[in-house]
Amino acid sequence: MTKQVKFKVLVSDVLEEAGLSILKNEKELSVDVKVGMTPDHLKEIIGEYDAIIVRSATKLTKVLIEHGKNLKVIGRAGVGVDNVDLASATKQGIIVMNTPEGNNISTAEHTMSLLLAMNRNISQAHQSLLRGEWKRTHFTGSELFGKTLGIVGFGRIGREVAKRALGFGMKIIAYDPYLSQDAIKQPEIQVVQDLKQVYKVADYITVHTPLNDDTYHLIDEKAFALMKKGVRIVNCARGGIVSEEALVQAIQSGQVRAAALDVFEKEPVDPNHPLLKLSQVVATPHLGASTEEAQENVAVAVAHQVVDALLNRGIRNAVNLPSMDGETYKLIKPWLNLAEKLGLLHTQLFEGNIQELDVKYSGEVTQYNLAPLTLSVLKGLLTPACGDAVNFVNAPSMARERGITVNESKTTQVEDFLNSICVTVKTAKGSNMVLGSLFGNKDPRIVRINQFRVDAIPKGYMLVITNDDKPGVVGEVGTLLGKHKINIAEMTLGRKEEGAYAITVINSDNAVPAAVLKELKALKLIIDVKLVKL
């Protein structure tokens, strides 16, 4: 029987046979496997395909995506989608899907493998044997039993690490910005609200967070200074979370006794990297997901997801849009964008472990199916801490794991604005509200932050400044930013009453360095400054 081909699928990176078989067994699909293409070659042929499956080697840039005129689906066999231009894909209506759960076990096991190898000097002792030496006393290690393991980032991988560490008799202290002790029912796991508590008591520290502006160099010289002398560090998450320069200095000073690394800021790592010259370091070349089982799991998962998306059987693990038909998506796309921005803004602007999310819709927007909009808010809320691991499908379950209650309500009554989304988040430190609307049914605006009325465009870099409502603040802020060559694109001011507190929201053309933020905070009339990236 002749195959009735409807869709063409390109596999541009290595994919296990189990995944390829799923694709090839679909009679409506034609599959081409072309690994190792140059960007120019891919640009020539990508327009022929309805879907493309990649790992991390293929970089789907804006130019390549724009040439994919027929692309409907991009499947990423793995978690991170930093090799895909999401904005360009979303603009063209291309679904981008990842496989966020396929590597959980392999990464957790690799974390424990490195921790044990570091703790017992396995690598160093092995090399010594190969040199014909027998230095038993030279490689005396330590026991894990009774020691405290600090886990920074207590998502699914962090929890799998905790399970294994508990089996070794370790004590667990965990930090996650969205997690409270109430969400963890195990008394042997202590959840703390302040990352400094982890630094101060942990004998071992392992990180399992995404890499973003908030986590870049999360562990730096200041963090090392807070830690117990002789602490051991493990990083199987992302290069850049631990400052490599600061780690070298901490090991050389004796503050850090040893480190185990699977990731580096620049990969492949330079063989002359200072960390690789230290005998206290054990390192592997980004092997966290490199098990036969994990590779097959993500291959099978992405194959099923691409097949189902192309054949209208459902969309799973989409990172750039919830499941819905094309016409509906066109209608509510501006609202989806606004909803996600409200969640992103909330998390970056306010502190505290999130306990409850309340989303209220007002006006004509209530005629739409609101579930995708609430998912967008939730995804935005979780993204700063969970990164690419959170998407429109798993956001509700990730919220439940963290003990976050999600409420949704609507009213057709027109309040301050014809249409609006009100996002209120309750944390351990209080409750905060952000209100968003669309101007002209297409342009998103932040129109209220708690009691302050504003008119802010939610895009790019935003400075949110709380200040005393007195003359001269705007001039001082503008002068300081101008001195540092930071251009103000938009500015909005808000206040509740004359002479009290006021809020200033500034859109800047580029990021504001930490040193400049420090200068802003030092100004006499400034109460607080937050930099938000949307």
Side-chain angles (χ1 to χ4, degrees):
M1 183 175 177
T2 306
K3 201 174 183 181
Q4 301 297 315
V5 174
K6 289 185 178 181
F7 302 104
K8 293 185 68 177
V9 179
L10 174 63
V11 180
S12 63
D13 290 331
V14 175
L15 196 71
E16 277 60 33
E17 188 57 39
L20 292 174
S21 295
I22 292 168
L23 297 168
K24 292 176 179 178
N25 287 338
E26 289 290 340
K27 64 181 181 180
E28 296 180 84
L29 268 57
S30 170
V31 182
D32 291 333
V33 180
K34 298 183 179 181
V35 178
M37 286 182 291
T38 65
D40 287 340
H41 184 194
L42 180 56
K43 186 170 71 173
E44 290 177 6
I45 67 171
I46 196 171
E48 306 171 19
Y49 294 92
D50 300 281
I52 181 170
I53 295 177
V54 303
R55 282 194 185 274
S56 57
T58 299
K59 312 298 181 186
L60 291 177
T61 62
K62 178 181 179 181
V63 172
L64 285 172
I65 289 173
E66 288 176 346
H67 277 76
K69 299 298 184 182
N70 293 316
L71 278 182
K72 301 170 183 64
V73 179
I74 295 172
R76 163 70 165 101
V79 178
V81 289
D82 49 319
N83 57 320
V84 179
D85 190 316
L86 279 178
S88 297
T90 303
K91 183 177 181 181
Q92 291 192 199
I94 302 168
I95 301 165
V96 180
M97 301 182 295
N98 65 349
T99 54
E101 298 180 8
N103 302 335
N104 291 354
I105 299 299
S106 63
T107 303
E109 289 187 355
H110 195 63
T111 298
M112 293 304 298
S113 298
L114 282 179
L115 193 154
L116 288 163
M118 169 184 65
N119 211 45
R120 297 304 298 269
N121 300 305
I122 301 297
S123 176
Q124 298 90 332
H126 175 68
Q127 292 299 321
S128 176
L129 272 179
L130 294 181
R131 293 192 296 268
E133 301 169 346
W134 189 265
K135 297 182 177 180
R136 294 181 63 195
T137 58
H138 190 68
F139 299 109
T140 302
S142 301
E143 294 181 0
L144 298 181
F145 183 80
K147 303 298 195 313
T148 298
L149 175 64
I151 302 179
V152 181
F154 209 61
R156 293 178 179 179
I157 294 174
R159 294 177 193 219
E160 292 294 340
V161 171
K163 289 179 187 177
R164 288 150 180 78
L166 288 172
F168 281 90
M170 301 189 79
K171 302 171 186 176
I172 305 297
I173 180 170
Y175 168 80
D176 188 297
Y178 298 134
L179 195 64
S180 65
Q181 185 68 59
D182 294 338
I184 302 297
K185 306 305 181 184
Q186 295 169 273
E188 61 269 37
I189 298 177
Q190 179 189 3
V191 177
V192 296
Q193 309 292 319
D194 188 345
L195 182 54
K196 293 178 182 178
Q197 291 178 260
V198 176
Y199 293 156
K200 290 177 181 179
V201 305
D203 302 298
Y204 302 80
I205 294 177
T206 178
V207 294
H208 299 285
T209 71
L211 177 64
N212 53 38
D213 289 343
D214 292 328
T215 61
Y216 179 72
H217 286 188
L218 179 69
I219 298 183
D220 56 10
E221 62 275 4
K222 293 181 180 178
F224 286 126
L226 293 173
M227 296 177 191
K228 295 172 67 174
K229 188 174 180 64
V231 68
R232 293 173 170 90
I233 305 293
V234 183
N235 185 8
C236 287
R238 288 287 188 271
I241 297 174
V242 179
S243 167
E244 293 171 358
E245 182 180 353
L247 180 58
V248 169
Q249 294 173 359
I251 292 173
Q252 291 174 336
S253 71
Q255 179 69 7
V256 172
R257 184 168 179 177
L261 308 172
D262 185 48
V263 289
F264 293 85
E265 287 197 41
K266 293 182 179 179
E267 297 179 356
V269 66
D270 185 341
N272 294 313
H273 194 294
L275 280 169
L276 300 184
K277 304 298 182 182
L278 298 174
S279 62
Q280 301 94 324
V281 174
V282 57
T284 50
H286 209 142
L287 301 180
S290 296
T291 62
E292 295 174 1
E293 294 84 356
Q295 296 301 302
E296 184 166 305
N297 287 343
V298 297
V300 168
V302 76
H304 279 305
Q305 289 171 203
V306 168
V307 168
D308 289 348
L310 289 175
L311 302 182
N312 291 318
R313 297 173 184 168
I315 297 172
R316 299 191 305 280
N317 293 326
V319 299
N320 63 334
L321 73 161
S323 177
M324 66 187 73
D325 63 81
E327 289 304 312
T328 301
Y329 175 67
K330 289 179 182 178
L331 288 172
I332 71 169
K333 181 181 177 182
W335 286 107
L336 289 170
N337 178 47
L338 173 63
E340 187 169 0
K341 294 291 180 66
L342 289 172
L344 275 169
L345 177 65
H346 229 298
T347 301
Q348 297 176 76
L349 201 54
F350 304 113
E351 299 176 353
N353 298 103
I354 297 172
Q355 300 172 346
E356 188 172 344
L357 165 66
D358 185 87
V359 187
K360 181 181 179 181
Y361 301 92
S362 302
E364 296 178 0
V365 67
T366 57
Q367 68 183 296
Y368 300 119
N369 176 10
L370 299 177
L373 297 178
T374 301
L375 282 175
S376 295
V377 174
L378 192 55
K379 179 178 179 289
L381 196 72
L382 294 173
T383 291
C386 302
D388 296 330
V390 62
N391 55 46
F392 290 103
V393 176
N394 64 17
S397 65
M398 295 185 82
R400 285 193 296 271
E401 288 173 1
R402 287 161 170 78
I404 301 172
T405 301
V406 180
N407 304 310
E408 178 187 295
S409 61
K410 63 181 179 180
T411 175
T412 55
Q413 292 182 344
V414 176
E415 299 183 358
D416 291 342
F417 294 88
L418 187 63
N419 294 284
S420 66
I421 303 177
C422 180
V423 176
T424 304
V425 175
K426 179 182 177 183
T427 74
K429 296 187 176 181
S431 182
N432 292 285
M433 183 271 282
V434 176
L435 186 71
S437 185
L438 293 181
F439 287 11
N441 289 320
K442 62 178 182 178
D443 295 324
R445 291 290 193 279
I446 306 299
V447 293
R448 188 174 164 190
I449 300 175
N450 285 328
Q451 73 268 35
F452 301 107
R453 294 180 182 275
V454 294
D455 179 12
I457 300 174
K459 70 174 184 179
Y461 292 99
M462 298 174 66
L463 274 173
V464 182
I465 303 171
T466 307
N467 56 273
D468 288 326
D469 183 27
K470 294 182 179 179
V473 174
V474 173
E476 282 191 329
V477 170
T479 300
L480 195 153
L481 293 177
K483 182 180 73 172
H484 292 284
K485 310 298 182 184
I486 296 170
N487 192 48
I488 296 175
E490 305 283 346
M491 176 185 288
T492 180
L493 308 173
R495 66 179 183 181
K496 186 178 180 181
E497 59 186 39
E498 184 179 351
Y501 293 149
I503 194 170
T504 304
V505 182
I506 295 173
N507 292 89
S508 64
D509 288 338
N510 48 336
V512 181
V516 179
L517 291 176
K518 187 175 181 180
E519 285 188 52
L520 283 170
K521 292 178 181 179
L523 293 176
K524 184 177 179 180
L525 299 177
I526 301 299
I527 298 167
D528 189 30
V529 180
K530 290 286 177 63
L531 178 64
V532 173
K533 183 180 180 182
L534 300 179

